[in-house]
Amino acid sequence: MSQIAMLQKEKSKRQQKPLSDSSGISNKGTGNFLSLDAQTLLAHRCDTQEWVGICDVVFPTFGRGVVSTQAFQKDDIIMDYHGVAVTDKTYQDLIRNRSVPTEFVLEIGAPVKRFIDASSEVCVEHPTNRCLGRLANHSTLNSKKNLDANMKIIEVVLNAFDPPKRLAVFKVRRNIEPFEQLRYDYGDKVARYMFNM
């Protein structure tokens, strides 16, 4: 039985008896609304990559991707996007001078414009950890193929630390069932063309 068939079989079993799991980290709105405990938990999970309820898989049509293994609630923070932060280059300079594959460069616009280069599967800053966020595939909201973007990327500033930590994290747009593929809108025309959406 293929990996996809096993996930689909497990998903149909879970839909009969849904789980009520969640990440334990919820961010409502776009400000610093995380409690001290939630900030500490988020920083720990980003540093150690001990994200609960997600796994990477290989899809026949999309290549690699990320799937939920438990239920998540709207506004949960479920994984991060980490890599080398670049603030002193333009996007074109970054991909030209370092031969960085464009699909692994994330642009964060505010409050400080920067790029996160996740072209290496193992982050230089966290050499024992893999970045699952870099494997999340593209989709748009209300996709014709019903592959909606069930996450969005946000920047969270953890003021409980000195100096404050800036994290690029994925926040859940709507409730997610176990064994759904996790997707977000890359926000660029190239991705929409590549994924034919």
Side-chain angles (χ1 to χ4, degrees):
M1 181 180 290
S2 74
Q3 188 178 28
I4 304 301
M6 287 179 0
L7 289 171
Q8 289 172 334
K9 183 177 177 182
E10 186 65 26
K11 181 178 178 182
S12 65
K13 282 196 286 184
R14 295 283 178 97
Q15 284 177 335
Q16 294 166 9
K17 184 181 176 188
L19 298 178
S20 60
D21 307 28
S22 198
S23 72
I25 306 171
S26 184
N27 177 279
K28 303 202 185 291
T30 57
N32 293 310
F33 298 105
L34 294 175
S35 69
L36 179 60
D37 288 345
Q39 287 189 41
T40 304
L41 179 59
L42 179 56
H44 171 74
R45 288 194 178 160
C46 289
D47 283 343
T48 61
Q49 292 301 289
E50 291 178 4
W51 291 103
V52 178
I54 59 172
C55 71
D56 62 319
V57 296
V58 177
F59 294 97
T61 54
F62 291 115
R64 293 175 72 187
V66 185
V67 171
S68 65
T69 58
Q70 68 179 40
F72 290 106
Q73 296 171 7
K74 184 180 178 189
D75 297 323
D76 278 352
I77 295 173
I78 60 175
M79 66 180 150
D80 69 324
Y81 195 104
H82 71 264
V84 178
V86 179
T87 57
D88 60 344
K89 290 184 172 47
T90 67
Y91 178 76
Q92 292 302 324
D93 288 340
L94 179 67
I95 63 173
R96 184 180 328 113
N97 296 338
R98 299 182 58 215
S99 302
V100 175
T102 57
E103 65 267 27
F104 298 121
V105 175
L106 177 69
E107 181 179 347
I108 304 289
V112 178
K113 184 169 182 175
R114 61 193 170 103
F115 301 98
I116 300 176
D117 171 9
S119 55
S120 174
E121 185 158 353
V122 176
C123 174
V124 174
E125 296 176 17
H126 305 95
T128 59
N129 303 331
R130 293 171 51 229
C131 175
L132 288 179
R134 72 192 282 279
L135 300 178
N137 284 319
H138 168 79
S139 186
T140 57
L141 292 174
N142 303 319
S143 168
K144 291 178 183 177
K145 296 184 178 182
N146 199 25
L147 303 174
D148 67 313
N150 49 19
M151 304 183 298
K152 66 179 175 178
I153 196 101
I154 62 168
E155 185 171 65
V156 176
V157 180
L158 304 184
N159 289 321
F161 297 87
D162 187 23
K165 293 186 177 189
R166 292 188 182 279
L167 304 173
V169 296
F170 289 97
K171 177 178 169 180
V172 174
R173 287 185 176 272
R174 58 163 174 79
N175 290 350
I176 293 177
E177 293 296 318
F179 303 103
E180 281 190 52
Q181 186 177 172
L182 302 173
R183 299 180 177 91
Y184 73 107
D185 190 339
Y186 289 2
D188 66 56
K189 293 177 185 174
V190 175
R192 290 181 180 137
Y193 175 78
M194 284 174 55
F195 284 84
N196 196 23
M197 295 179 177

